[in-house]
């Protein structure tokens, strides 16, 4: 115990075992819903849900442990909702790419992330991509995720005359989703910790009472096999080297990198890990934890692992060191024995979580400089194209190209780094082919 206290510098960070354990448990309960929502999303495009459940828990456990023990950062890692939605609905469903090949793309993006984390490339990439575009991507992903939630729940349906329309809000599955959405929203505005997880549990109970979802056959069991997904990423690496998949890899890398970087700054500022020059203490190690976990997750059978903003709930409960992350990692391993509960998380149950998370991502809209026409037009197109094209990648590509064109038209060519032109060429090639 003394070794742990000294290693994580409890005294220096004014914390105790009790505070760290409580903070870790709080963080886990706040993000535990991902263990069931992520498999439900991937299961909708044909990936075996049980395998995804195990892969998600393992990648989260590995990444969070490295984050805690190596980077000494009080932050949890898990497959992200935006990245998961892009994988399922844009890549597999939208582009028709087999999920096995898509997992290979996740692995390649993770491997590139490892290189970026171990070199000075990360500073260059952060510097050359305009902050306003990053904020626009985050908001666009929020709208995309919320739209998916509304569609999966049947609140929004297709229409031949108006493209989309309001669904049958009197049907029981839709009412269950609306009930879950209200429960989560009310808990959130009341400041209840773990509001999404608690809302998910309450919605499941309501679903079972009304027979919208089936009763589980068990609560605890041995972890399911990962055989259906394990290793698919490696055996399909040869299928990654084409324009479509290279754009997928870039989009995954872009989303994962800036999601992690932004979360690092947000969490680091709360626990005094931001240096005077604006960099994050052990930031490279934290990025490395994320990238390694993504590679592990891809091999096991899940999407990009990223840093979770929900870690702020644990910090609010007292977490100050990486030991709280070690606690979260242990909890992810314990969760492996609760796979039977997957059967109760249907689209009606997971939809409220998608809608709530989508709304939270739209907070970044306030950070965009709407007074600058170049930024306003580029950001708007980035945001609106994502839900309307049903593709995060095409939203990023379209908005990015418009940004380059408008910057050139305004005579601000010198402000564009050569890397920006390289990315623009890649996007043009994608649209042409």
């Amino acid at each position: 115990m003394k070794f742990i206290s000294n290693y994580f510098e409890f005294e220096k960070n004014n914390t105790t075992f009790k505070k760290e354990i409580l903070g870790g448990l709080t963080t886990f309960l706040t993000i535990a819903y991902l263990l069931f929502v992520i498999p439900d999303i991937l299961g909708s495009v044909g990936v075996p849900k049980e395998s995804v459940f195990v892969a998600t828990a393992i990648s989260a456990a590995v990444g969070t442990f490295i984050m805690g023990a190596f980077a000494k950062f009080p932050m949890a890692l898990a497959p992200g909702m935006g990245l998961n939605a892009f994988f399922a609905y844009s890549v597999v469903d939208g582009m028709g790419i087999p999920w096995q090949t898509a997992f290979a793309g996740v692995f390649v993006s993770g491997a590139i992330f490892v290189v970026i984390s171990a070199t000075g490339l990360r500073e260059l990439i952060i510097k050359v991509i305009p902050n306003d575009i990053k904020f626009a991507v985050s908001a666009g992903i929020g709208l995309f995720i919320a739209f998916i939630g509304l569609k999966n729940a049947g609140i929004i349906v297709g229409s031949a005359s108006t493209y989309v329309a309001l669904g049958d809000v009197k049907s029981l599955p839709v009412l269950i989703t609306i009930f879950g959405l209200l429960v989560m929203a009310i808990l959130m505005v009341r400041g209840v910790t773990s509001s999404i997880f608690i809302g998910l549990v309450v919605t499941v109970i309501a679903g079972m009472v009304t027979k919208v979802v089936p009763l589980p056959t068990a609560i605890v069991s041995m972890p399911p096999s990962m055989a259906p997904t394990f290793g698919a990423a490696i055996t399909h690496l040869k299928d990654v080297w084409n324009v479509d998949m290279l754009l997928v890899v870039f989009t995954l890398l872009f989303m994962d990198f800036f999601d992690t970087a932004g979360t690092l700054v947000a969490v680091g500022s709360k626990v005094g890990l931001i240096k005077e020059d604006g960099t994050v203490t052990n930031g490279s190690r934290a990025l490395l934890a994320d990238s390694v976990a993504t590679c592990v997750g891809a091999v096991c059978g899940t999407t990009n692992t990223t840093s979770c903003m929900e870690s702020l709930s644990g910090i609010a409960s007292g977490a100050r060191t990486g030991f709280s992350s070690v606690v979260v990692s242990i909890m992810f391993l314990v969760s492996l024995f609760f796979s039977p509960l997957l059967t109760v998380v249907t689209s009606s149950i997971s939809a409220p979580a998608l809608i709530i998370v989508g709304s939270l991502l739209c907070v970044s809209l306030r950070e965009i400089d709407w007074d600058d026409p170049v930024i306003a037009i580029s950001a708007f197109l980035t945001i609106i194209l994502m839900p309307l094209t049903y593709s995060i990648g095409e939203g990023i590509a379209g908005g990015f190209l418009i940004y380059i064109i408008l910057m050139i038209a305004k005579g601000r060519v010198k402000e564009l780094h050569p890397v920006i032109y390289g990315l623009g060429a890649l996007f043009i090639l994608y649209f042409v082919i």
Side-chain angles (χ1 to χ4, degrees):
M1 300 291 280
K2 186 67 175 176
F3 169 76
I4 294 176
S5 177
N6 291 336
Y7 181 78
F8 289 103
E9 300 178 312
F10 280 9
E11 185 174 345
K12 176 184 176 182
N13 290 285
N14 190 29
T15 189
T16 63
F17 276 102
K18 182 179 179 180
K19 289 181 180 179
E20 293 300 300
I21 292 173
L22 178 61
L25 291 175
T26 301
T27 295
F28 175 75
L29 288 174
T30 306
I31 61 175
Y33 73 94
L34 291 171
L35 288 167
F36 302 98
V37 176
I38 297 296
D40 185 63
I41 292 174
L42 294 188
S44 68
V45 292
V47 190
K49 290 175 64 172
E50 292 78 10
S51 297
V52 176
F53 174 81
V54 178
T56 298
I58 288 177
S59 64
V62 170
T64 306
F65 181 81
I66 296 174
M67 182 68 76
F70 182 59
K72 298 183 180 180
F73 217 88
M75 187 164 65
L77 299 176
M81 292 276 274
L83 289 153
N84 198 256
F86 171 69
F87 179 99
Y89 301 112
S90 293
V91 180
V92 179
D93 191 32
M95 300 173 69
I97 293 172
W99 58 261
Q100 296 89 339
T101 302
F103 276 139
V106 172
F107 180 83
V108 172
S109 73
I112 296 172
F113 201 169
V114 170
V115 175
I116 290 174
S117 302
T119 66
L121 284 176
R122 70 185 192 283
E123 285 85 2
L124 174 62
I125 294 174
I126 291 175
K127 182 179 179 180
V128 301
I129 304 294
N131 286 330
D132 297 276
I133 299 299
K134 299 171 198 171
F135 295 135
V137 169
S138 179
I141 292 171
L143 288 182
F144 182 66
I145 290 176
F147 179 69
I148 289 170
L150 293 167
K151 169 183 168 293
N152 289 353
I155 296 175
I156 298 296
V157 296
S159 170
S161 56
T162 60
Y163 299 106
V164 292
L166 185 66
D168 182 7
V169 294
K170 300 186 297 296
S171 69
L172 203 51
V174 173
L175 288 174
I176 288 297
T177 295
I178 295 173
F179 169 75
L181 179 61
L182 288 173
V183 170
M184 291 181 189
I186 291 171
L187 290 173
M188 189 165 289
V189 299
R190 296 288 297 177
V192 177
T193 302
S194 309
S195 55
I196 295 179
F197 178 75
I198 295 172
L200 188 70
V201 172
V202 172
T203 309
V204 166
I205 293 172
M208 289 190 292
V209 170
T210 56
K211 297 182 179 180
V212 171
V213 299
L215 292 172
T217 56
I219 302 297
V220 178
S221 72
M222 292 300 293
S225 169
M226 283 194 299
T229 59
F230 186 81
I234 303 302
T235 57
H236 286 76
L237 278 175
K238 63 182 184 300
D239 301 324
V240 173
W241 312 111
N242 58 71
V243 174
D244 278 351
M245 278 306 299
L246 288 178
L247 179 66
V248 168
V249 169
F250 169 75
T251 303
L252 289 169
L253 181 64
F254 183 97
M255 293 168 62
D256 193 0
F257 184 81
F258 289 110
D259 191 12
T260 298
T263 305
L264 275 175
V265 172
V267 174
S269 64
K270 295 291 184 181
V271 291
L273 292 176
I274 304 297
K275 300 177 183 178
E276 292 183 1
D277 61 358
T279 58
V280 181
T281 302
N282 288 337
S284 295
R285 293 186 176 189
L287 290 173
L288 189 62
D290 187 302
S291 54
V292 170
T294 290
C295 292
V296 171
V299 172
C300 292
T302 193
T303 49
N304 295 64
T305 301
T306 188
S307 303
C308 298
M309 194 66 78
E310 291 92 340
S311 303
L312 291 171
S313 65
I315 290 171
S317 297
R320 291 294 180 272
T321 74
F323 184 68
S324 65
S325 297
V326 175
V327 173
V328 177
S329 175
I330 293 171
M331 292 304 300
F332 273 123
L333 294 178
V334 172
S335 70
L336 284 168
F337 298 93
F338 291 87
S339 63
L341 297 178
L342 279 171
T343 58
V344 302
V345 182
T346 63
S347 57
S348 295
I349 304 300
S350 63
L354 291 171
I355 297 167
I356 290 292
V357 172
S359 70
L360 296 177
L361 287 172
C362 286
V363 170
S364 62
L365 284 169
R366 66 186 178 192
E367 306 294 338
I368 298 172
D369 183 8
W370 296 105
D371 293 326
D372 183 342
V374 172
I375 296 299
I377 296 171
S378 304
F380 174 76
L381 289 174
T382 300
I383 294 165
I384 200 66
L385 283 174
M386 289 188 191
L388 294 187
T389 63
Y390 216 64
S391 171
I392 293 172
E394 289 175 6
I396 293 174
F400 214 88
L401 284 173
I402 292 297
Y403 170 75
I404 294 173
I405 292 170
L406 294 181
M407 286 290 283
I408 294 173
K410 197 172 182 180
R412 297 166 62 180
V413 177
K414 294 182 179 179
E415 296 179 37
L416 296 175
H417 192 278
V419 170
I420 298 292
Y421 290 110
L423 296 176
L426 176 63
F427 290 142
I428 291 173
L429 185 62
Y430 165 75
F431 283 123
V432 169
I433 294 180

